[in-house]
Each structure stands twice: as C-alpha cells, then as structure tokens.
Amino acid sequence: MERRCSGELVYDCFPALSSVSWLFHGCFTRKGGVSTGPFQGLNAGVSSGDDGESVAANREAILRESGGSDLVVLSQVHGNAVHVHAGPELGPVEADAVVTDRPGAMLTILTADCQAVVLVDPVRKVVANAHAGWRGSVAGVLSATVSVMKDRFDCRPEDLLAGIGPSLGPCCAEFVHYKKELPRVFCTHRVGFNHFDFWAISRDQLCDAGLAASNIAAAQLCTRCDEEHYYSYRRSHTTGRMATVIGIKPTAA
Ligand SMILES: [Zn+2]
C-alpha cells in the first residue's frame, strides 16, 4: 500500500490502481476529521451515534479530497445486492455493492473491520466498491459484483483490478461458532484453531469470479490491531466507520 497524507487526512492506495490516470481511490484511515469521543477522527458513518454535523463535515472533507461531485453511500445490510448507480439517488439504497461508469460519482463503502473491496475495469472505465464482512463473504457479494460488471457493463473479469482494504486480519478474525456460521470451503483458510484469513478467502472468491490472481492486491492491514489509524467494531462496539472510496475523476468525462 502507498500511504498518502493530505492536510490532516491519511489514506492508503493500491499501487496498481494508482496507475490508472482517470481513477481516484483511497482507503481513508480515521486520521483527520472532526469527530470526538469514541468516534475520534474521520468517522463517515451515521448509524453508530456520532453527531450528524460532524459526520457531514468529515464526508465533505473526503469528497473534497476525492475531487468528485458526490459520495454514493449505501444502506449496508451485510447482503449480496449490487446497486447500479446511474444518477443521483432519490432515497436510501439498500445494497452492499455499487457499480458505476458515471464520472464524478465517488462510490463509498463504510467499514470497521469488514472489508471494502474496490474494483476497476481500466478498459471499459467502470468502477465498483463492495462491502464484504463475513456475512457478505458467505452470501457471495464479490462474485455478485463481478457478475453485474460483466452483465451490465460488458466487463471482462480478466481485465479487472481489485484491492482488498484494511480489515480484520487472521490475527483477530476469531470465529468460535465457525462450524455453524461459515461454509466448509472457508476452512481452507482456517488459521490455528478457529481464526480465519478473510483476505485469502476474498482473493479466492475473486479468482473464482474470473480475476487474475496477479490483479488482486490486499492491504494486509488489520483494523483491530491498529487503533491509531482504524476503527474496529471488535475492539469497541461504539466506534466510527472508515470510508473507502473509488470513482472516475470528473475531468475524465
Ligand atoms: Zn489483528
């Protein structure tokens, strides 16, 4: 990962994606921002009890840094629904992944331990962002996202570049009830007694969807282990949400 600092903001980028000239992407850390208390920093989530004006100011700072015209934020429900963003939404959209080819629209996934997985098709100029917690992984949200890119935008999976953002690592992804909660195939990436490597699980799922392994990068940064930079739901249930953003720069229109 490349770590970028812009004023107070600190965010991580995937080098392969940074080489796409018309693309903005960033996995924002909690650094910068105006939220206080358990939300200290750049909290972009409204549902955990933070002050609405602080969250709005934080989102404004993220949008400004992205250079986009709007942040597209979903009502995330840990499912596998994929939203195709074609213009300004009239109301909340319940989905866990979003795809667009619209310049200026900055697709935003909010997380505190779950993965945000960004995807770009450099050939067709299409971007996607998916929310993959363990429930989303079980539900197949990544393959659903790639399917929509194929079916609706004519993307070829072998062209896609993917980045798996900072999230719960194998060090901290303990699943005491894994036999009930996780499919048997995930046991390929069981670590020790009951920990799981969800970075590897997502990599496998993306490969199964047709991506080249060499086109998939994982940040390999654990959110629970680094309190200075990340919110973590497993560390503290009352916490903020990091924003991971990807979009086509408006100038590329
Ligand atoms: Zn950890």
Side-chain angles (χ1 to χ4, degrees), residues 23-59:
L23 185 73
F24 173 85
H25 82 289
C27 306
F28 285 85
T29 68
R30 67 190 292 180
K31 291 279 190 186
V34 298
S35 292
T36 56
F39 312 106
Q40 177 70 48
L42 191 72
N43 173 35
V46 286
S47 58
S48 44
D50 193 6
D51 170 56
E53 283 181 23
S54 299
V55 175
N58 293 338
R59 287 186 178 184

Side-chain angles (χ1 to χ4, degrees), residues 167-173 222-226:
S167 46
L168 203 63
C171 40
C172 296
C222 176
T223 42
R224 191 182 179 214
C225 285
D226 183 354

Side-chain angles (χ1 to χ4, degrees), residues 18-91:
S18 296
S19 68
V20 180
S21 63
W22 44 265
L23 185 73
F24 173 85
H25 82 289
C27 306
F28 285 85
T29 68
R30 67 190 292 180
K31 291 279 190 186
V34 298
S35 292
T36 56
F39 312 106
Q40 177 70 48
L42 191 72
N43 173 35
V46 286
S47 58
S48 44
D50 193 6
D51 170 56
E53 283 181 23
S54 299
V55 175
N58 293 338
R59 287 186 178 184
E60 183 56 37
I62 291 165
L63 178 62
R64 212 180 308 124
E65 178 64 23
S66 76
S69 52
D70 51 319
L71 291 186
V72 179
V73 183
L74 306 168
S75 294
Q76 301 171 185
V77 292
H78 296 278
N80 62 0
V82 183
H83 173 61
V84 173
H85 173 79
E89 262 80 53
L90 300 172

Side-chain angles (χ1 to χ4, degrees), residues 41-193:
L42 191 72
N43 173 35
V46 286
S47 58
S48 44
D50 193 6
D51 170 56
E53 283 181 23
S54 299
V55 175
N58 293 338
R59 287 186 178 184
E60 183 56 37
I62 291 165
L63 178 62
R64 212 180 308 124
E65 178 64 23
S66 76
S69 52
D70 51 319
L71 291 186
V72 179
V73 183
L74 306 168
S75 294
Q76 301 171 185
V77 292
H78 296 278
N80 62 0
V82 183
H83 173 61
V84 173
H85 173 79
E89 262 80 53
L90 300 172
V93 176
E94 208 169 87
D96 284 277
V98 53
V99 185
T100 198
D101 61 357
R102 187 182 152 236
M106 292 293 153
L107 311 182
T108 305
I109 291 293
L110 304 177
T111 61
D113 289 340
C114 289
Q115 296 174 4
V117 178
V118 290
L119 292 150
V120 59
D121 182 340
V123 180
R124 298 276 176 192
K125 264 196 182 176
V126 176
V127 292
N129 203 348
H131 166 235
W134 70 267
R135 287 185 183 84
S137 301
V138 173
V141 67
L142 297 180
S143 67
T145 305
V146 174
S147 288
V148 169
M149 295 179 85
K150 266 163 55 179
D151 299 344
R152 299 285 295 272
F153 295 93
D154 217 15
C155 299
R156 296 186 312 170
E158 59 268 36
D159 291 333
L160 303 181
L161 307 176
I164 301 165
S167 46
L168 203 63
C171 40
C172 296
E174 185 181 26
F175 285 79
V176 177
H177 305 295
Y178 72 87
K179 284 179 185 162
K180 263 195 303 194
E181 292 171 340
L182 305 177
R184 193 176 287 259
V185 64
F186 284 16
C187 283
T188 315
H189 299 298
R190 185 151 67 101
V191 179
F193 185 55

